[in-house]
Amino acid sequence: MITVSNLCKSFGGLEVLKGVNVEIDKGDVICVIGPSGSGKSTFLRCLNLLEVPTGGQILFNGVDITDKSCNINLHRQKINLFPHMTILRNMTLAPVKLLHKSQEEADAQALKLLQRVGLGDRGNAYPAQLSGGQKQRVAIVRALMMEPEVMLFDEPTSALDPEMVQEVLDIMIELGHDNITMVVVTHEMGFAREVADRVVFCDGGYILEQGTPEHFFTNPQNERTKAFLSKILR
Ligand code: ADP
Ligand code: MG
């Protein structure tokens, strides 16, 4: 579904991505790991063109999205909930405006998704009345309202209190089992172990190693991968 070839991104003189190559098939869950500053977020942002690549190609269903300004169907993840609107309104705004769904249809879909993440009774609450973990769960189902072909997650649990991490991971694990295509920057190796089809290790502007979670847990090859994993797998 997505073929990234020789993707490059520089900020002025700073070369962040120096030639990233990766294949993402429909239904794949890809976990991207690597040191801070290695370009993981930049890579995700290039995938939905929040950053314009300085070189290379991103083919999405055969169309080069770097080539022209096309209407990409990737969800843009880092959008906050509107504080003055109820959860239900936050979830239905975009599908009604952009997908031209009726309010009733969107409401029904939103309620179903909220029920699925254990928030069926919170539709009329405001964001401030939700915990961090609940807000993050709403953010995920709100993204699903747009029926994206790919979900991109940039460290979705990093800002959460430790006791709220698992409730968000559980939702993502479920999505992973549902065959939704996901690219997730995360160091939650338990999550990677359970749902990732492939783990990708980035460092120094390149993907240095990729493989199954098992490969990374039992048999990493690259010295830098080994050093990195020894720090996060304690
Ligand atoms: P990671 O997500 O792996 O921690 P980032 O992709 O956020 O890494 O950043 C990679 C490098 O690119 C860092 O050195 C960062 O300072 C730099 N960078 C990221 N975004 C910008 C930007 N908009 N302008 C200039 N430099 C940036
Ligand atoms: Mg980042």
Side-chain angles (χ1 to χ4, degrees):
M1 180 159 74
I2 304 175
T3 305
V4 177
S5 345
N6 200 29
L7 178 67
C8 298
K9 176 67 187 177
S10 299
F11 296 104
L14 179 69
E15 277 185 283
V16 177
L17 304 177
K18 299 177 186 169
V20 168
N21 296 290
V22 68
E23 275 294 331
I24 301 166
D25 293 326
K26 197 167 173 57
D28 269 359
V29 177
I30 310 284
C31 282
V32 180
I33 62 173
S36 176
S38 61
K40 303 178 301 293
S41 295
T42 302
F43 169 64
L44 274 196
R45 292 165 66 82
C46 284
L47 282 186
N48 69 355
L49 296 185
L50 283 177
E51 296 288 355
V52 180
T54 40
Q57 247 194 353
I58 302 170
L59 294 182
F60 186 77
N61 292 331
V63 176
D64 184 358
I65 62 168
T66 62
D67 198 35
K68 44 187 174 283
S69 55
C70 47
N71 186 8
I72 47 163
N73 200 10
L74 294 168
H75 174 68
R76 292 173 172 166
Q77 179 61 24
K78 290 224 161 170
I79 310 167
N80 291 316
L81 296 170
F82 291 115
H84 62 290
M85 293 181 194
T86 64
I87 297 307
L88 212 54
R89 188 95 176 89
N90 265 290
M91 289 179 68
T92 57
L93 197 64
V96 168
K97 276 217 151 67
L98 302 176
L99 301 183
H100 308 294
K101 295 204 170 174
S102 71
Q103 189 65 48
E104 298 74 53
E105 189 190 352
D107 282 347
Q109 192 188 3
L111 270 176
K112 216 158 102 190
L113 283 168
L114 282 175
Q115 275 159 9
R116 200 173 143 190
V117 298
L119 296 171
D121 57 343
R122 305 302 280 153
N124 292 318
Y126 288 87
Q129 298 169 309
L130 268 52
S131 71
Q134 290 175 329
K135 271 186 239 175
Q136 192 66 314
R137 282 186 274 160
V138 169
I140 292 170
V141 287
R142 187 178 59 163
L144 290 172
M145 290 288 292
M146 293 302 285
E147 297 165 10
E149 288 190 61
V150 184
M151 292 277 281
L152 305 176
F153 294 94
D154 194 349
E155 308 207 35
T157 58
S158 62
L160 297 177
D161 291 337
E163 71 268 28
M164 289 166 183
V165 167
Q166 197 55 47
E167 65 184 45
V168 172
L169 287 177
D170 285 343
I171 305 296
M172 295 181 58
I173 288 169
E174 231 189 278
L175 291 180
H177 291 318
D178 269 7
N179 246 5
I180 289 180
T181 309
M182 298 199 275
V183 183
V184 188
V185 176
T186 184
H187 296 141
E188 295 286 347
M189 295 307 278
F191 169 78
R193 190 192 289 256
E194 178 142 4
V195 292
D197 295 293
R198 213 141 22 99
V199 176
V200 161
F201 175 68
C202 297
D203 197 9
Y206 300 99
I207 292 177
L208 293 186
E209 187 160 357
Q210 44 178 309
T212 60
E214 289 69 35
H215 166 88
F216 275 83
F217 284 116
T218 60
N219 193 26
Q221 295 298 306
N222 187 288
E223 288 309 317
R224 269 145 81 184
T225 313
K226 289 184 201 170
F228 178 76
L229 287 173
S230 74
K231 281 186 219 148
I232 65 162
L233 295 175
R234 280 186 226 251

